[in-house]
Amino acid sequence: MADYVIRATAADGQIRAFAATTRDLVEQARKAHNTSPVASAALGRLLTAGVMMGVDMKGENDILTLKIQGDGPIEGLLVTADSHGNVKGYAYNPQVMLPPNSKGKLDVGGALGLGVLSVIKDIGLKEPYVGQTILVTGEIAEDLTYYFATSEQIPSSVALGVLMNRDNTVSQSGGFIIQLMPGAPEDMIDRLEARLKEIASVTTLLDEGNTPEMILEHVLGEFGLELNDRVPVQFHCNCTKERVEKALVSVGRKDIQEMIDDGKPIDLNCHFCNKNYQFTVEELGEMLEKAVR
């Protein structure tokens, strides 16, 4: 099934929810960055969270950035998403290899270690909104649950999962975010918490053939689930040679002249999609005329 996010409400608007299937976009990220299994799982979880949080943004040009910096061997992750279902990202050290954790699963928490999760929302104001929290477990879903509770004061339950095949391709990927609105009654909260404890992992549900709609029905069916809309999502990087050229021009005439004097073409790499752009000495000469002094 093609990747998409479902937006929904329940309990007469007292609960709002998102659920996603993201196998294709996580597989595309894996191919672009040649990530190891544990890096694929870590990056895939953050891409899934990013694309769900991105489609919740209201403005046409709003941008969400999720950044994790940790002291583990993966060092960090960076993901950006827009409100149209586009997401991109990379792992700082994509080739990390670790043994399974004590549960026999990919050790995402061990790969990230201790550190900080930053959520940056650029919604067209003078300064972007920046929220930060410590990494509670490094498992990402728990860290985002903690972020929502502490930084946005929204009681939430976040579930994220990536299931890898033996050949290191992505078998399943997806997640959900369930959030309680202010004024939700205690008995409903208790019922929802009890229901969430009964739910199998996201990857188990997806591997059994469940769609995002079916997953939300599993969790919220008894609360009067209302599906609002379905948003197609994809791994998409908006880099172009023209955009890279503008960035290169901004470094100034002195640095560009040094590149020209070296007498060789230069290659610039986009961190988000790993695409390389080559500029010849002749192209650098043309840029020299455009460069700031």
Side-chain angles (χ1 to χ4, degrees), residues 125-270:
L125 303 176
K126 275 190 175 182
E127 297 291 335
Y129 162 84
V130 180
Q132 284 190 326
T133 184
I134 60 169
L135 292 181
V136 181
T137 65
E139 293 294 328
I140 300 180
E142 291 91 336
D143 300 314
L144 281 165
T145 297
Y146 184 73
Y147 160 79
F148 281 123
T150 57
S151 293
E152 298 193 8
Q153 286 76 54
I154 303 174
S156 306
S157 177
V158 181
L160 304 165
V162 176
L163 180 66
M164 303 298 294
N165 292 314
R166 290 187 179 275
D167 64 357
N168 193 26
T169 57
V170 179
S171 174
Q172 299 290 348
S173 178
F176 64 73
I177 300 173
I178 310 293
Q179 298 185 317
L180 289 167
M181 296 297 96
E186 287 296 326
D187 66 317
M188 188 185 75
I189 296 172
D190 292 341
R191 285 166 53 211
L192 179 57
E193 288 178 344
R195 184 63 188 134
L196 286 166
K197 289 178 181 177
E198 298 171 358
I199 298 297
S201 71
V202 171
T203 49
T204 297
L205 290 170
L206 289 168
D207 213 33
E208 291 172 349
N210 289 279
T211 64
E213 294 93 331
M214 293 164 69
I215 290 172
L216 288 182
E217 183 65 33
H218 276 302
V219 181
L220 298 172
E222 67 181 272
F223 299 95
L225 177 67
E226 295 182 18
L227 302 177
N228 297 331
D229 60 353
R230 169 174 167 157
V231 182
V233 297
Q234 63 176 342
F235 183 90
H236 173 71
C237 186
N238 58 349
C239 69
T240 63
K241 189 168 184 177
E242 290 71 24
R243 289 170 69 97
V244 175
E245 180 181 331
K246 286 181 181 178
L248 189 54
V249 166
S250 70
V251 305
R253 297 176 62 85
K254 180 175 179 292
D255 288 339
I256 295 176
Q257 185 63 59
E258 289 177 357
M259 298 175 200
I260 293 171
D261 293 343
D262 194 42
K264 299 176 183 177
I266 65 164
D267 289 297
L268 295 179
N269 175 265
C270 173

